[in-house]
Amino acid sequence: MPPHISIYQHPQEKGYGAALTVIGSALWLLIILSVFLQKNPVAALIALVIYGLLLWVMMKFMAALFRAWMVGSMVVLSKQQFPELHAIFVDVSRKLGLETAPEAFIYNSHGVMNALALRLSRGRYVLLTSALVEAEDNAQLRFVIGHEIAHHVLGHLNSVKHFIRYPAFFVPFLYPAYSRAREYSCDAVSASLLEDKNHALTALQMLACGAKRLNYEMNPSAFIDQEKLMPAFAGFCREICVSHPRMTRRVARLMCLFPIVAVKPDRAPSSAQDAA
């Protein structure tokens, strides 16, 4: 991980990650010890290994099926397919320290605006919805792409870590807290790449709004002010149970990290296929 990226990690991410690792390792140890406490520990160990191998084979097969679905039903970004958008994707990847960009796909989301980073076996992927590409301009789209690539760069999709930590995922509120910290980290890493940080603020607000015609009327300051309307107890209870922080908090944190004046853009919309 490049040093200039690690400084943008949320301060709580490493702490929550360490807690998941310690608790997960301890629970795995208890599982292994429980095997040796059986009347026939050898048979129990063999059964555990067999079930583990079956699960591994099943996961590999499901990953292969999912990739087959992506290749056959989505549109991959390449030098031949949407080359200008692909160039943005490659540029962001290199600036975040990846020599080889993840494989990127665009798929028909039927109006749902979102993006997703995922790891299948050893492959790195980023999925962008059609609604996202259509509604956001180049700078905003660069932020969203950077956010998803940051998940790969920061090691959030490491399969070994996930395996070790998996038993701890069932500890109430711990994994959601870790996941929210990761989202804050990726927001900050991606925003650091933009010359005009306002695009990061409006990109997040655009994800919350999802209306293309309103994209250039976004007012992040007014959006942050919505926090004043949040019922304290209900807001707290909902926040501790979800994997992503609410958008008003994400925009507010970026504004604190990168002191800027959030103003309404005074330029005309540009196509997502325009040169960045």
Side-chain angles (χ1 to χ4, degrees):
M1 181 194 313
H4 70 282
I5 292 177
S6 61
I7 63 174
Y8 292 108
Q9 277 188 289
H10 192 275
Q12 294 179 342
E13 180 186 332
K14 291 183 178 180
Y16 287 133
L20 286 169
T21 300
V22 171
I23 296 173
S25 300
L27 292 175
W28 277 122
L29 182 60
L30 288 175
I31 292 172
I32 294 172
L33 289 175
S34 67
V35 169
F36 288 99
L37 293 176
Q38 301 297 316
K39 291 182 179 180
N40 191 339
V42 176
L45 181 60
I46 292 174
L48 183 64
V49 171
I50 291 174
Y51 283 124
L53 288 174
L54 288 175
L55 180 61
W56 179 80
V57 170
M58 184 181 298
M59 291 178 64
K60 288 288 185 180
F61 181 62
M62 294 300 293
L65 288 179
F66 190 81
R67 189 180 187 284
W69 175 64
M70 290 194 301
V71 171
S73 303
M74 302 181 186
V75 182
V76 65
L77 292 185
S78 67
K79 291 181 180 180
Q80 294 75 37
Q81 188 75 271
F82 311 130
E84 294 178 357
L85 185 56
H86 176 257
I88 294 175
F89 193 88
V90 171
D91 180 60
V92 173
S93 297
R94 289 175 178 170
K95 287 182 177 178
L96 290 180
L98 294 181
E99 294 183 5
T100 302
E103 199 168 357
F105 290 83
I106 297 177
Y107 69 97
N108 186 351
S109 60
H110 303 287
V112 177
M113 188 178 295
N114 206 350
L116 174 69
L118 69 157
R119 190 87 177 257
L120 298 177
S121 296
R122 296 184 179 181
R124 291 170 170 163
Y125 302 92
V126 171
L127 308 184
L128 305 172
T129 67
S130 54
L132 176 76
V133 175
E134 181 180 9
E136 306 204 43
D137 73 359
N138 278 348
Q140 293 172 323
L141 195 57
R142 182 180 288 266
F143 169 80
V144 176
I145 289 173
H147 176 102
E148 301 306 331
I149 294 175
H151 279 300
H152 290 291
V153 175
L154 294 174
H156 295 163
L157 305 176
N158 185 293
S159 56
V160 175
K161 286 183 180 179
H162 269 282
F163 176 78
I164 294 173
R165 295 170 173 175
Y166 183 74
F169 288 177
F170 298 96
V171 176
F173 312 122
L174 180 56
Y175 180 76
Y178 171 63
S179 180
R180 291 194 300 274
R182 295 192 315 182
E183 295 303 315
Y184 283 132
S185 296
C186 292
D187 284 346
V189 168
S190 187
S192 71
L193 300 179
L194 301 180
E195 293 184 9
D196 185 351
K197 312 303 183 196
N198 280 303
H199 293 302
L201 305 181
T202 56
L204 287 174
Q205 191 177 348
M206 188 64 218
L207 291 174
C209 180
K212 179 181 178 181
R213 63 172 293 180
L214 300 177
N215 195 6
Y216 290 87
E217 298 181 24
M218 296 292 180
N219 185 334
S221 295
F223 186 58
I224 293 172
D225 285 342
Q226 291 178 201
E227 272 291 307
K228 300 174 183 177
L229 305 176
M230 179 63 63
F233 182 70
F236 170 77
C237 290
R238 188 187 184 282
E239 187 82 355
I240 63 175
C241 296
V242 297
S243 61
H244 286 55
R246 53 181 178 261
M247 283 295 187
T248 47
R249 283 192 165 183
R250 291 172 67 177
V251 174
R253 184 171 187 271
L254 282 186
M255 192 175 287
C256 290
L257 286 177
F258 305 100
I260 53 180
V261 178
V263 296
K264 182 173 70 175
D266 57 0
R267 57 186 177 81
S270 62
S271 168
Q273 296 297 319
D274 292 340

